[in-house]
Amino acid sequence: MTVAAVSLKVARGAHVIVDPLAKLLARGSLPGAYGYDLGAHAMRVSRARGVAPMTLLPCAMPGSWMVNARAPSPVFRQWLSPPRVHAWEGLYELLSGGCEAWLSRNDEERDAVTKLVGALCIDGQGIAAISKVLAYWIGESVPLMDDAMLALALGVIDEPKTADDPRAGAEHFVPAMDWFAKTAVEHEGTWIQVARDYPLAPLDTAQTLDRLLWVESWGFRLRFGADHGPFARVRSEGRSAIVKAPTRAPGAELSEGELTDDERAQWG
């Protein structure tokens, strides 16, 4: 059974993900996203087969470039050297195990995560770059924390005008984990069904939600190609959605009164 839509609780009320499989297919048409997903699956398989997580960490750092992480290799060198490499080790212990494991963490452990993430916020890098490594390395738990995702989900920062200058710092990491984990668990059956229908890469429930959040918060602005999109955003008070809009420019902003019949059918 194809999932038609799912409604998420976000900062401005409700955001409805319309036709999630179509959104995943659009994202999967991008070479970097496609490679990132296959690499993240390889990470998961390697860990399951007993490869030490810290052995895999150096591979996760350049892997993050496939989803446009801004951290350069000199930052990777600092991250992989003492004392900062120990922060990654601590984060693995506190973040691995999936969304339910995260939700069971106590306040002391959450505070520790904030401090460890803060220790990695160096040379202008914030949680966008750090999370893109973590989501590759610990994909069952951690989402990509671009500014656009944080603006949609939590409203803690303004919606960015560019994806190339992320500003969110360590203080937003734990709240983003909390919102993401709760949303992943609340709609677990939906993410499982969408992942089963997705042919391009194996995704678990958290990864499915994460990939969709990128499309819904930022990726809808892109031109994906003839078979996918373009997409437009519809917003009314307390509700938003990204709809397929073949006659529009990518990333168009629409009101309810501007919708075509096809767009209105998706909006509901």
Side-chain angles (χ1 to χ4, degrees):
M1 179 179 176
T2 301
V3 175
V6 57
S7 181
L8 309 184
K9 298 171 187 175
V10 297
R12 296 178 62 168
H15 182 82
V16 181
I17 302 180
V18 177
D19 197 351
L21 181 59
K23 304 288 182 49
L24 283 184
L25 290 169
R27 178 188 170 278
S29 71
L30 301 174
Y34 178 71
Y36 186 87
D37 290 350
L38 293 177
H41 177 64
M43 283 276 170
R44 183 166 62 243
V45 170
S46 297
R47 288 165 52 206
R49 293 181 178 178
V51 179
M54 295 303 291
T55 299
L56 296 169
L57 176 62
C59 301
M61 291 186 184
S64 70
W65 285 336
M66 288 189 284
V67 287
N68 300 319
R70 310 305 297 173
S73 55
V75 169
F76 295 163
R77 174 64 184 264
Q78 294 183 71
W79 280 349
L80 290 168
S81 303
R84 292 184 178 92
V85 70
H86 302 305
W88 291 100
E89 191 171 19
L91 286 173
Y92 184 87
E93 292 300 318
L94 290 168
L95 297 175
S96 60
C99 291
E100 290 186 348
W102 169 256
L103 293 173
S104 72
R105 297 296 182 192
N106 60 38
D107 289 344
E108 182 179 353
E109 290 168 324
R110 290 163 191 256
D111 289 344
V113 166
T114 299
K115 291 176 183 177
L116 291 167
V117 171
L120 298 172
C121 290
I122 60 172
D123 294 356
Q125 303 305 317
I127 63 173
I130 294 165
S131 68
K132 289 176 182 184
V133 175
L134 290 169
Y136 195 72
W137 190 38
I138 317 174
E140 75 273 15
S141 303
V142 184
L144 307 181
M145 298 182 189
D146 288 299
D147 284 3
M149 177 271 197
L150 296 172
L152 172 66
L154 300 176
V156 292
I157 56 176
D158 292 335
E159 186 174 71
K161 293 181 170 57
T162 176
D164 295 332
D165 187 26
R167 300 296 182 92
E171 69 275 16
H172 299 306
F173 188 91
V174 165
M177 284 291 297
D178 287 342
W179 179 89
F180 179 79
K182 290 173 184 175
T183 305
V185 170
E186 181 180 359
H187 300 284
E188 183 179 25
T190 297
W191 313 133
I192 290 171
Q193 183 60 55
V194 175
R196 284 175 177 166
D197 293 339
Y198 183 61
L200 300 182
L203 299 175
D204 67 14
T205 55
Q207 290 172 317
T208 302
L209 170 59
D210 172 59
R211 278 41 169 181
L212 288 167
L213 286 172
W214 176 80
V215 178
E216 300 294 311
S217 63
W218 183 262
F220 73 92
R221 297 170 171 86
L222 304 186
R223 189 178 297 277
F224 289 100
D227 295 333
H228 308 287
F231 297 102
R233 180 164 59 186
V234 188
R235 288 197 281 198
S236 66
E237 188 170 345
R239 186 167 180 255
S240 61
I242 306 301
V243 300
K244 193 168 184 178
T247 64
R248 313 285 187 175
E253 298 280 351
L254 306 176
S255 67
E256 288 188 78
E258 297 174 297
L259 299 178
T260 67
D261 289 345
D262 287 344
E263 292 161 357
R264 188 173 299 279
Q266 298 173 70
W267 173 243

